[in-house]
Amino acid sequence: MPQSALPIGSLLSAPRPAFTETEAQGLARTHFGLDGTALPLTSERDQNFRLATPQGAFVLKIANAAEPRGVTECQTLALLHLEAVTPGLPVPRVIRTREGASWTELAGGNLLRLLTWVEGEPLWRARRGAAQRRAVGLCLGGIAAALADFSHPSADHELLWDIRHAARLRALLPAIPDARTAVLAERVLDRFETAVAPRLADLPWQVVHNDMNPHNIMVDPANADRVAGVIDFGDLVRTARVCDLAVAGSYQVDPGDPAGTLADLVAGYHAANPLRPEEVELLPDLVAARMVTTIAIASARAAQQPDNAPYILRNLPASAAGLEALTALAPGAAAAALLRATEAA
């Protein structure tokens, strides 16, 4: 199959909005009454700008016109829900338009939003450690707990990044450039289909952040063990709750100690949002499936969008190394270590 025909979906293959900095500044002035300087930010599907103003910094977000309106609304309402239910959580706040709305629709069908800027150092730049992993787990558990009673009709939208759809990634495996990684990915999907997917329906389901990667976690520059903020709710979706933790775990695994480092994260999460034993049992397989998701989608999209390839491929090396280490463990070893971590939490 030609790489240009790889089935990654219309949203993931649709071009991002292409507003200029000057146009973004005009949108901020017109709809939010803010004068400032707009600087482009990297993003996967949308177009984002950092807006520096005398009133502070903000993120101006222009949604991809290919994204259903309800999906963007769901993300915005989830942030408003978090602010109302647990205002202490370090997540962006929604800024109203001049008319008091939480978003506005542009002429081309794009939804325009403005969020507060979350200060901090991106986790991918910071040193790693057990205390930081526990803090990440604690923060994610708190967000999931606060979202447990949030619902929206568009929360069930189909997103290829949702681990429950991992079996659909088979068509993308030819795009993976490394042959060994491609073989490991196929084995993970085989196990997912037979031993994991059939059990997901019996687990707790809810709306989750679904993208707790090191680029979306801000830590305190003076104390890398403290999570200063969590950004980018663009992959928000309703799925099996543990899939959210698996997403975070796929980026926290140290190839030198895959079970131990994953246990640090799980202990923190469990302290904030207790897990069921059956969720913990499936977690290593779900982490591996998320690693395959990252590798497969990134490989396919980078081939189709070479101009955005550096951003798309930013998590691929870590995912490949983690997949190698996690799949090399004895069957059941990682799950046993994670169960011990929840018992001790």
Side-chain angles (χ1 to χ4, degrees):
M1 178 185 296
Q3 288 184 337
S4 60
L6 288 168
I8 59 176
S10 59
L11 181 56
L12 290 180
S13 59
R16 291 175 297 159
F19 289 80
T20 67
E21 290 93 329
T22 300
E23 289 171 329
Q25 290 166 187
L27 291 172
R29 185 180 307 110
T30 298
H31 297 286
F32 299 97
L34 290 171
D35 285 301
T37 302
L39 298 174
L41 298 171
T42 54
S43 82
E44 181 184 51
R45 303 186 300 273
D46 303 332
Q47 188 178 22
N48 300 324
F49 294 88
R50 184 182 191 273
L51 186 70
T53 77
Q55 291 80 19
F58 303 88
V59 179
L60 189 74
K61 298 181 69 67
I62 305 170
N64 195 310
E67 181 164 86
R69 179 191 180 102
V71 172
T72 305
E73 292 180 356
C74 177
Q75 297 163 12
T76 308
L77 292 174
L79 287 172
L80 292 171
H81 176 85
L82 290 175
E83 181 178 1
V85 172
T86 315
L89 286 173
V91 299
R93 302 300 184 213
V94 178
I95 304 300
R96 269 43 174 210
T97 67
R98 281 179 157 178
E99 291 74 30
S102 300
W103 59 78
T104 189
E105 185 170 355
L106 303 179
N110 312 89
L111 289 191
L112 176 71
R113 296 176 292 161
L114 189 70
L115 305 179
T116 56
W117 177 266
V118 176
E119 297 290 349
E121 180 181 18
L123 187 144
W124 66 270
R125 292 181 187 163
R127 61 161 182 79
R128 300 295 186 92
Q132 183 191 81
R133 287 187 289 272
R134 286 192 291 271
V136 169
L138 190 70
C139 183
L140 182 61
I143 292 173
L147 287 172
D149 61 347
F150 173 77
S151 63
H152 188 277
S154 294
D156 284 301
H157 73 108
E158 190 170 299
L159 182 69
L160 195 56
W161 283 108
D162 183 354
I163 298 175
R164 64 177 163 133
H165 299 309
R168 301 182 186 180
L169 297 168
R170 287 191 184 277
L172 305 185
L173 299 186
I176 299 175
D178 182 75
R180 175 169 177 77
T181 302
V183 169
L184 286 177
E186 187 169 19
R187 291 174 184 168
V188 168
L189 295 186
D190 288 341
R191 178 166 172 79
F192 177 85
E193 285 191 277
T194 59
V196 180
R199 299 176 60 186
L200 290 180
D202 296 326
L203 302 180
W205 281 55
Q206 67 165 81
V207 174
V208 295
H209 179 276
N210 197 49
D211 196 15
M212 197 79 159
N213 75 64
H215 291 254
N216 289 341
I217 304 169
M218 302 293 129
V219 296
D220 186 341
N223 178 11
D225 292 337
R226 189 182 78 82
V227 175
V230 176
I231 63 172
D232 195 351
F233 282 67
D235 281 358
L236 191 88
V237 71
R238 182 180 178 275
T239 189
R241 175 180 67 166
V242 70
C243 288
D244 191 34
L245 179 57
V247 171
S250 71
Y251 301 106
Q252 293 292 329
V253 167
D254 185 333
D257 182 15
T261 49
L262 191 55
D264 293 332
L265 178 76
V266 170
Y269 185 100
H270 186 73
N273 196 17
L275 293 157
R276 295 183 182 179
E278 55 268 32
E279 291 179 289
V280 179
E281 184 182 347
L282 291 183
L283 188 56
D285 287 311
L286 290 169
V287 169
R290 171 63 184 210
M291 291 171 171
V292 171
T293 301
T294 299
I295 294 166
I297 294 178
S299 298
R301 292 189 67 243
Q304 293 183 344
Q305 300 181 33
D307 60 319
N308 201 30
Y311 177 78
I312 294 171
L313 295 173
R314 68 196 189 284
N315 294 317
L316 191 112
S319 294
L323 182 67
E324 178 89 30
L326 190 60
T327 55
L329 295 176
L338 301 187
L339 283 169
R340 288 193 297 271
T342 61
E343 292 166 357

